[in-house]
Amino acid sequence: MKSVSPGDDKTKTMTLEAFADTIVPGVKRSPEDRSVAGAVVDPGAVVAGAVELLETPAPGIREGLDDLVRMLNDHARSYADLQGLVLDSPEPPFVALSFADRTALVQALTAPGHPEREVWISLALFSNMAFDTAAHMHTLDAIAADHPGIRIMGLAKPDPDGLWRFPAFSYGRPLADLHPDTTASGSPA
């Protein structure tokens, strides 16, 4: 396997994409796509912007991403050695693993008792957040851009004025009567 520098942007992006794709799998973007394993037929965390979210200041891990990439690739090398796998591709070690092996490794890293568990669970949660909520985007922008997670989850579009109103109650009835002092804008008096 070619030696890849952990600080290399391509290595970083490919490794983070492969991790995110392990958490919320997606369809390959092209036949040559190595980061996305193509385990499903719908877009996943990568297309939904997982790497973009990780690289924003909001999650608070942007400065540590190079270290996480290095650690993940070190774990992938160790995992491959234990499993008797030969990683002879030019991709970073985690990317070179099959989807099943990526999944097994992530399960081990997030298992109770693993000393780095919290770190890997955080990375997994942010991958989910990128897909489920488009946390790196304003919701109206995500809807306008046809964000795959928002679309797949079926988030209702707002009214033309940009506000969400729900004239039909999800349970078929109101859950409580409005307080008599509630203002027209919905605020308590």
Side-chain angles (χ1 to χ4, degrees):
M1 185 183 83
K2 177 179 112 177
S3 175
V4 184
S5 167
D8 175 341
D9 282 342
K10 184 176 178 184
T11 296
K12 179 179 177 180
T13 299
M14 289 181 76
T15 303
L16 292 173
E17 285 181 346
F19 184 91
D21 181 65
T22 306
I23 303 304
V24 182
V27 64
K28 282 183 173 282
R29 297 167 287 186
S30 73
E32 298 80 30
D33 194 347
R34 291 288 295 144
S35 299
V36 176
V40 298
V41 297
D42 289 315
V46 174
V47 173
V51 174
E52 290 88 343
L53 174 59
L54 292 171
E55 290 180 338
T56 67
I61 60 172
R62 181 173 57 183
E63 291 75 23
L65 287 177
D66 287 336
D67 289 333
L68 290 175
V69 166
R70 179 190 48 74
M71 291 166 58
L72 187 56
N73 283 314
D74 288 348
H75 284 301
R77 274 188 216 90
S78 296
Y79 174 87
D81 289 344
L82 286 171
Q83 300 299 316
L85 303 173
V86 177
L87 302 178
D88 59 358
S89 67
E91 286 85 20
F94 188 77
V95 177
L97 293 174
S98 70
F99 182 74
D101 288 319
R102 290 178 190 176
T103 302
L105 176 55
V106 171
Q107 285 175 332
L109 294 174
T110 58
H114 191 282
E116 300 164 2
R117 179 176 191 244
E118 290 80 14
V119 170
W120 303 115
I121 286 177
S122 293
L123 204 60
L125 287 172
F126 291 125
S127 297
N128 271 314
M129 286 173 63
F131 183 81
D132 293 349
T133 66
H136 57 296
M137 304 174 74
H138 187 285
T139 304
L140 293 177
D141 294 338
I143 290 171
D146 196 31
H147 182 276
I150 299 286
R151 181 179 76 266
I152 290 168
M153 292 184 62
L155 180 68
K157 293 187 182 340
D159 291 339
D161 62 0
L163 298 176
W164 278 268
R165 294 178 184 84
F166 302 94
F169 301 102
S170 63
Y171 289 97
R173 63 181 177 81
L175 297 179
D177 294 329
L178 283 179
H179 189 277
D181 293 333
T182 301
T183 66
S185 69
S187 299

